Every structure is written in structure tokens, then in C-alpha cells.
Amino acid sequence: MTVRGIDHIGLTVPDLEAAESQVLALGARPLDTRPDRSFRVYADPSGHPFCLCRQ
């Protein structure tokens, strides 16, 4: 079995909730969106992970 390393993009945003609404409207899927963190993890429509990070 081969396991690839997964690279992802981290985007810093001033308003995490507004940015979340925007990426979900564009087709992102939540992966880890616990409210007690300063970041949230999503997958784009192709399944590539990315983070939204509070500024």
C-alpha cells in the first residue's frame, strides 16, 4: 500500500464565518469545522483539502 503526502492551501481570512458561507456556496465540503478552533478544514469539489484560518 502506498500513502501519499497531502499538501493543502491555508487561506487567512478576516471573518471565518463569512468565508465559510462563501466556500460552501462554491461547493466545498466540510472536513473539520469545530467552532473552538481558529481554523476550519474543507475539501474542494475535487476532494483537495484546504483550510480557512482566522486572521
Side-chain angles (χ1 to χ4, degrees), residues 11-31:
L11 304 169
T12 302
V13 297
D15 184 339
L16 197 52
E17 286 71 26
E20 178 178 58
S21 294
Q22 292 172 341
V23 299
L24 292 175
L26 291 170
R29 182 172 43 94
L31 298 179

Side-chain angles (χ1 to χ4, degrees), residues 36-49:
D36 60 328
R37 293 187 169 175
S38 62
F39 66 91
R40 297 180 186 168
V41 184
Y42 304 88
D44 70 17
S46 296
H48 303 106

